[in-house]
Amino acid sequence: MSDMRLIVAGAGGRMGRALVKAIAETDGIALAGALEDARSPLIGQDAGTLAGLPANGFALGADAKPLLAKADAIVDFTAPQATVALAALAAEAGKIHIIGTTGLAAGDDAKIKDAARKAIIVKSGNMSLGVNLLAALAKRVAKTLDHDFDIEILEMHHNKKVDAPSGTALLLGRAAAEGRGVDLAQHSVRARDGHTGARRAGDIGFAALRGGSVVGEHSVIFAGPAERIELVHKADDRMIFARGALKAAVWARGQKPGLYSMADVLGLNDV
């Protein structure tokens, strides 16, 4: 089988550069284009050079449509507006779209779901293999423990992150809620300040910390009477997300159009 040809969206950003580097290091995958916002001062620069590699001849551009015609998939860790637009283009071209973008609103998710009628979309709040295993464990533990155990999710990221709770924290929250058989939207507590009163039984709490250059740390805490269980994942390098995204792209090759998750990629849906 020929090399899988991938476009990197947001190729000038932290994750974009990591993806370009990961593609260069992975057999069976080749870079097919590099995208960036049309307003970016990086437009026209070489994607390889930006990623700390030798120049690869792929200059950052802003027009996805002609690139998609010659590619198998687009890998996208950008921003909600850009991701929704790229999903529509992937649907139009019948291509694979790997989405690691966070901060998506319900309306954005609906548009992505609609695009998945014609595109093969793998979407996850975190592409790390370890985090997705953590989510499966959180679901299992939540299902096993009774409501005497309160569930709290703590996350910390670098000081440039613009959304909170993180997409990963929400991924973990949804997994815990599924394990409990409840709707996260109805049981989610995103902030506590002032005189809040006692904790409501059944709530799933979130706390977000921001500072320094932390790539990502997440804990799912099950706090019961006289004992506590903590599931923890710490990311030291963005390359773990890039490698997970490439694994998702390879898995998606040959799949039918639809909306998939990393649980599908890793075979974790039955955990």
Side-chain angles (χ1 to χ4, degrees), residues 33-120:
L35 289 171
E36 191 50 80
D37 189 291
R39 299 163 294 182
S40 172
L42 299 176
I43 290 289
Q45 293 196 34
D46 187 89
T49 303
L50 288 172
L53 303 170
N56 58 22
F58 288 98
L60 271 62
D63 191 356
K65 198 166 184 176
L67 294 178
L68 272 169
K70 300 178 180 179
D72 298 304
I74 184 164
V75 186
D76 171 13
F77 288 72
T78 57
Q81 184 177 0
T83 291
V84 169
L86 290 171
L89 289 175
E92 182 182 325
K95 301 291 185 174
I96 296 166
H97 188 188
I98 307 300
I99 300 175
T101 302
T102 59
L104 293 158
D108 300 324
D109 286 331
K111 292 175 183 176
I112 290 168
K113 185 177 181 180
D114 183 63
R117 292 185 301 170
K118 295 182 179 179
I120 304 97

Side-chain angles (χ1 to χ4, degrees), residues 129-147:
L129 309 187
V131 160
N132 283 279
L133 179 57
L134 180 68
L137 293 172
K139 177 182 174 181
R140 179 65 184 180
V141 174
K143 184 177 181 179
T144 302
L145 299 176
D146 61 27
H147 287 270

Side-chain angles (χ1 to χ4, degrees), residues 126-136 233 239-248 262 265-266 268:
N126 191 302
M127 293 287 174
S128 155
L129 309 187
V131 160
N132 283 279
L133 179 57
L134 180 68
H233 181 271
M239 288 297 284
I240 65 172
F241 311 128
R243 294 187 191 107
L246 299 189
K247 185 178 182 72
M262 284 300 286
V265 175
L266 300 175
L268 294 172

